[in-house]
Amino acid sequence: MSQPNGGTFDIVILGAGSGGYAAALRAAELNLSVALIDKAELGGTCLHRGCIPTKALLHAAEIADQTRESEQFGVKADLVGIDMAGVNAYKDGVVARLYKGLQGLLKQDKITLVQGAGKLVAKDTVEVDGKRYTGRNVILATGSYSRSLPGLEVDGKRVITSEHALKLDRVPSSAIVLGGGVIGVEFASVWKSFGADVTILEALPRLVAAEDEEISKTVERAFRKRKINFKVGKPFEKVEHTSNGVRATIAGGETVEAEVLLVAVGRGPTTANLGYEQQGITLDRGFVITNERLHTGVGNIYAVGDIVPGLQLAHRGFQQGIFVAEEIAGLRPAPIDEAGIPRVTYSDPEVASVGLTEAKAKEQYGADKVSTYNYNLGGNGKSQILKTAGFVKLVRLNDGPVLGVHMVGARMGELVGEAQLIYNWEAFPEEVAQLVHAHPTQNEALGEAFLALSGKPLHAHS
Ligand code: NAI
């Protein structure tokens, strides 16, 4: 018996997160008809369970710290406490407003939003609750989930993922954060600011190990100062329940106890049982393999976002969604340069980077072909006003363009836009040094670093 027809569209998109909805919006602008399917809310992980709510928590954490430290600015204030209900109401309000705006955009663009769990049942068809949605093109955008480790059972109470952590109605008195990557350091930062005793357990030799080594060292120094405990270089072995929490054991037998353990050991692609392999799509450890035009090699099926190997970042998903919509519309967009995607970790201190780390640049071009320059925020007026420490590090090809920009310190994420332009335009330091940066801004730190690298330092030593 044939299934009821949900309709035929230019594009059927499975997954309405950052990658999926960006594809839908761009496709609609290009006058393509779109069905956008999701089993949960429009906006996906980033809007509801990721970027937006965590950054709201981090902002509340910053306010708590500023209140604590207000005396050094001559302002008298006492931090009476953290009202988690109030913090959550603020966080949920931010998400709700953005969600409403996004729903409005979809409506305005006449995108058909289908609520339900979809499955790819043919090369051009996604089935939802027995209804078939046919697309001249299909985009897979089913995102990712919090990974766990063998023998580590997430119960949502004592052993939790970031999703549970975002919904906690209290500040845990103590927390173990398993994994010192992006999620790990962001939550460690929030909970410490809210008054918890925090210990990060990281298998690799340093925190934020994907970043430049000097950046990791600075984050570690700052965390030590903030009394955030961390143990690096030893993988986690097991977790047991205690009378009022958990006990984690790391290689070598050392144990740590706390009220909760947050699992932050990476995110896996959501691709199981969705019919992808049955339609001939190649998966590698669950990730969908595509060519650089994000085509799966099967029919007219594309993939975007966290299911495609590479950085699992919302803005990469947005860009990939736009790219595929334009590709389908025949605009032949330029492929996305993955190295040019900016990265920000919103902990205190904040980390922002684009391009190659010093180690990667030396590996790629040879140690003698690469030079670096570190500009200390101690020379930057605005950073001194904010009383933040940190630095901007430039990695350049000798007599060539900038290969990487790495920054650590308060609000450095806001500078990544300029760093990204410099990187993506393959600018030479001498060209950037000619740009006038407003004074006093933290942006000047970038300008000063480029001046120094061009041999004409202003508020810095060469
Ligand atoms: P991650 O890959 O950044 O970090 C996971 C960490 O867990 C790694 O450092 C890894 O060495 C460690 N680990 C793995 N197994 C371990 C073991 N057995 N014992 C101890 N440590 C172990 O992944 P994370 O932090 O879970 O984030 C997931 C994704 O979400 C990332 O791709 C990230 O880019 C994205 N995200 C981005 C944010 C941002 O842009 N600000 C914020 C939060 C997440």
Side-chain angles (χ1 to χ4, degrees), residues 148-170:
S148 189
L149 295 170
L152 183 61
E153 200 201 320
V154 173
D155 61 15
K157 293 194 164 60
R158 297 184 189 196
V159 179
I160 61 176
T161 66
S162 52
E163 201 170 318
H164 305 115
L166 280 167
K167 290 194 193 131
L168 281 186
D169 57 3
R170 65 186 194 289

Side-chain angles (χ1 to χ4, degrees), residues 327-339:
E327 178 79 354
I328 289 169
L331 300 184
R332 297 292 293 169
I336 298 164
D337 170 19
E338 290 266 327

Side-chain angles (χ1 to χ4, degrees), residues 3-147:
Q3 301 289 340
N5 192 352
T8 298
F9 299 83
D10 290 321
I11 312 181
V12 169
I13 303 174
L14 184 53
S18 306
Y21 85 67
L25 291 172
R26 182 70 186 119
E29 277 166 17
L30 295 165
N31 296 318
L32 299 170
S33 60
V34 180
L36 181 61
I37 301 165
D38 204 299
K39 63 180 172 20
E41 312 93 327
L42 165 69
T45 300
C46 175
L47 177 55
H48 299 279
R49 295 170 293 281
C51 332
I52 298 297
T54 44
K55 270 66 244 175
L57 287 188
L58 279 150
H59 184 61
E62 185 184 342
I63 291 172
D65 284 332
Q66 286 183 345
T67 309
R68 253 183 220 112
E69 296 158 10
S70 61
E71 187 103 37
Q72 58 176 308
F73 302 95
V75 177
K76 287 192 183 297
D78 283 328
L79 181 66
V80 179
I82 305 296
D83 164 25
M84 257 338 266
V87 171
N88 284 332
Y90 149 68
K91 168 190 69 126
D92 296 342
V94 173
V95 172
R97 279 193 298 282
L98 290 170
Y99 183 36
K100 197 161 173 228
L102 188 57
Q103 287 172 309
L105 285 178
L106 251 86
K107 211 172 198 175
Q108 178 192 303
D109 280 349
K110 302 198 171 34
I111 292 163
T112 303
L113 188 60
V114 182
Q115 170 90 44
K119 188 166 179 173
L120 193 66
V121 294
K123 289 184 177 52
D124 62 354
T125 308
V126 174
E127 194 177 295
V128 185
D129 296 330
K131 246 184 175 176
R132 293 166 76 93
Y133 295 83
T134 303
R136 286 178 268 278
N137 301 274
V138 172
I139 303 176
L140 309 177
T142 39
S144 61
Y145 63 91
S146 295
R147 251 200 324 241

Side-chain angles (χ1 to χ4, degrees), residues 55 149 178-184 186 201-204 209 234-236 264-267 312-313 315 344-346:
K55 270 66 244 175
L149 295 170
L178 180 58
V182 193
I183 293 181
E186 288 189 351
L201 304 177
E202 168 56 55
L204 293 174
K234 287 190 184 144
F236 158 89
V265 293
R267 295 181 63 86
Q312 292 172 310
L313 298 173
H315 44 283
V344 182
T345 304
Y346 298 83

Side-chain angles (χ1 to χ4, degrees), residues 171-189:
V171 178
S173 60
S174 56
I176 298 167
V177 174
L178 180 58
V182 193
I183 293 181
V185 299
E186 288 189 351
F187 269 101
S189 199

